[in-house]
Amino acid sequence: MTLATKSALKQPIEPSGPSADDNRPGRSAGVVRAMERTDLSAVARLFTQTFRKHRLQPAPDLSGYLETVFFTSPLYSPDVGSLVHLNEQGTIDSAILAIPLEFMVNGRPMTARLLCAFMSQGKSGAAGAARLARMLRAARQDFCFSDNASPVSADHWVAAGGLALPIQSLEWHRTFRPMAAGLERARGRMPFMGKLPLQRIARVFDHFIRRTKASFAAAPHENTTSAPISPDQFAELALGMMDRFFVHPVFSKPEFDWLMAAARLNTSLGALYCRSVVDVQGKVIGCYLYFGADGRDAVVLNVLCLERQEAAVVAQLFADLDGHGYAGARGMAQPFLMNAVLRQRHLVHRHTGYFCLSTRHADLKAAAVGDGFYAGGLASEIWSRLLHDF
């Protein structure tokens, strides 16, 4: 996204904060306030004008989707929700869409704000955008983050005291079937390609290629197997395996169920699947969650494992996805998985957006620049329809 951010604030607008300065009498500034349901039509238009310039009107279901994602989370309150700026005429000229997410930070719960779009209406909204951006100053935030900020936005994050995390700013992509993977990339650039009967042709070529170049097939780790599990089982396993990190999502049952339901609305990525990875003694050593659609790329949301089991779990993950016939697999890079992922063949890393965060807490910042930070997947925006359609 362009003006792009995805960020997340945390602190509500307080009387002593920057919003109070911007709204005080005698200033020419407009008003910063929490987004309300009555703003949805205006925000949908602003989103379309900013990010979908080829459309004259917002998609018919955009307002409803915005309401579901930004107002119905069990953690939602106006203090941790989206923000809008109203100009002197009372019109919304800029906005930040935000989802509250609960994290554990060194044993204490903390509500973070994930920004899913930072938008303004041309030059007229520049002042409002600047006022909203001032909310991102690290000194005023408990925890805010973005997993897809533009270079310009990332520079603003850093200038305001935040961090840009280099590894989490990468997406890995492992190819299993090169012709199908090429068709997937072409479909992303030219959607009409998805309507052409090319998948069967790609399958024939891939069968030949994989017979002549066996390295496209992903081999499992010795003595590991996997099995489908329910979302509740995945959440239980993930919670235990995230304890190794100083900072990680809480995934309480109400929030986890809501995130899964919201993610399932993005049918363009396929269906959601959960699997566990088991060693030769029958012990569960890992689990993962992903979107899958026949013949296309699998989109891996979360991969968790016990310490020192990264290689086995990652190898089994790729072997499973290859075995299910996907063109390839992609997901956010994570420091603790880098060594295991890099052992794969036909692997590339792509920069799709900066992972940025702001916080006034020294221990959270230290964890983020080290190995003690885990976010992404359900605790990010990768599942949102705002990235893929409308």
Side-chain angles (χ1 to χ4, degrees):
M1 293 186 174
T2 62
L3 213 163
T5 31
K6 269 157 205 184
S7 349
L9 321 169
K10 163 35 183 138
Q11 291 296 92
I13 305 173
E14 298 175 343
S16 59
S19 59
D21 291 338
D22 288 343
N23 298 334
R24 69 193 181 196
R27 290 183 65 102
S28 59
V31 175
V32 174
R33 62 164 172 78
M35 185 172 76
E36 301 170 354
R37 280 180 164 85
T38 54
D39 300 325
L40 287 169
S41 294
V43 171
R45 287 194 298 272
L46 181 60
F47 177 89
T48 303
Q49 292 166 2
T50 304
F51 301 119
R52 305 291 185 265
K53 298 182 186 298
H54 63 282
R55 296 187 66 105
L56 297 178
Q57 296 294 329
D61 54 343
L62 177 55
S63 291
Y65 185 76
L66 294 175
E67 180 175 19
T68 298
V69 172
F70 299 106
F71 283 101
T72 66
S73 165
L75 297 178
Y76 171 77
S77 75
D79 289 344
V80 291
S82 304
L83 299 172
V84 298
H85 177 268
L86 280 67
N87 59 25
E88 293 176 302
Q89 290 73 44
T91 301
I92 293 174
D93 60 14
S94 52
I96 297 176
L97 300 180
I99 299 173
L101 296 168
E102 189 174 14
F103 276 76
M104 194 65 69
V105 178
N106 279 0
R108 63 187 188 274
M110 189 177 293
T111 301
R113 239 168 168 172
L114 168 68
L115 289 194
C116 302
F118 186 2
M119 48 196 161
S120 71
Q121 189 174 33
K123 295 181 179 179
S124 64
R131 293 183 180 93
L132 290 173
R134 284 201 288 271
M135 304 288 183
L136 299 175
R137 290 172 180 164
R140 296 183 180 273
Q141 309 306 320
D142 273 350
F143 183 12
C144 65
F145 74 102
S146 156
D147 67 332
N148 196 20
S150 71
V152 172
S153 296
D155 290 343
H156 286 307
W157 277 85
V158 175
L163 299 172
L165 306 184
I167 294 179
Q168 289 92 334
S169 298
L170 297 173
E171 178 185 79
W172 51 257
H173 187 280
R174 207 293 193 190
T175 299
F176 306 129
R177 292 164 177 80
M179 292 300 295
L183 181 60
E184 177 82 345
R185 290 192 293 273
R187 185 188 291 114
R189 293 189 295 268
M190 298 172 286
F192 71 88
M193 294 283 288
K195 300 178 181 180
L196 301 177
L198 301 175
Q199 206 164 36
R200 182 176 299 178
I201 298 173
R203 192 177 298 120
V204 172
F205 277 97
D206 281 329
H207 179 73
F208 174 77
I209 293 170
R210 284 166 61 91
R211 288 187 63 183
T212 57
K213 196 164 186 177
S215 57
F216 279 107
H221 193 272
E222 293 183 0
N223 301 320
T224 61
T225 57
S226 72
I229 55 176
S230 69
D232 285 344
Q233 289 172 312
F234 171 83
E236 183 178 357
L237 291 171
L239 286 173
M241 293 173 185
M242 287 191 296
D243 279 345
R244 61 191 288 193
F245 302 103
F246 291 113
V247 180
H248 62 80
V250 171
F251 284 163
S252 66
K253 182 167 176 54
E255 184 187 26
F256 180 81
D257 289 348
W258 181 85
L259 286 167
M260 289 289 287
R264 287 192 179 102
L265 296 175
N266 193 350
T267 56
S268 67
L269 296 179
L272 274 175
Y273 299 97
C274 307
R275 295 186 73 88
S276 64
V277 179
V278 181
D279 69 9
V280 68
Q281 284 83 34
K283 180 180 180 181
V284 177
I285 60 172
C287 58
Y288 61 92
L289 168 70
Y290 72 97
F291 279 108
D294 289 345
R296 300 181 58 190
D297 283 345
V299 179
V300 179
L301 298 181
N302 296 94
V303 184
L304 282 308
C305 64
L306 301 179
E307 291 190 69
R308 296 182 295 279
Q309 296 293 343
E310 292 83 4
V313 170
V314 167
Q316 186 65 52
L317 160 73
F318 287 121
D320 288 344
L321 298 179
D322 182 15
H324 283 94
Y326 297 114
R330 57 186 172 92
M332 179 190 291
Q334 298 282 359
F336 77 106
L337 290 177
M338 280 295 286
N339 186 45
V341 171
L342 287 172
R343 294 174 183 270
Q344 290 291 311
R345 303 290 299 277
H346 305 288
L347 179 88
V348 296
H349 281 85
R350 299 168 180 161
H351 173 65
T352 58
Y354 285 93
F355 190 110
C356 299
L357 68 86
S358 291
T359 181
R360 59 190 176 89
H361 299 287
D363 57 345
L364 199 164
K365 184 175 287 190
V369 299
D371 295 328
F373 180 86
Y374 182 84
L378 281 184
S380 74
E381 203 201 353
I382 189 173
W383 50 264
S384 174
R385 288 182 63 192
L386 296 183
L387 294 180
H388 302 280
D389 57 20
F390 293 120

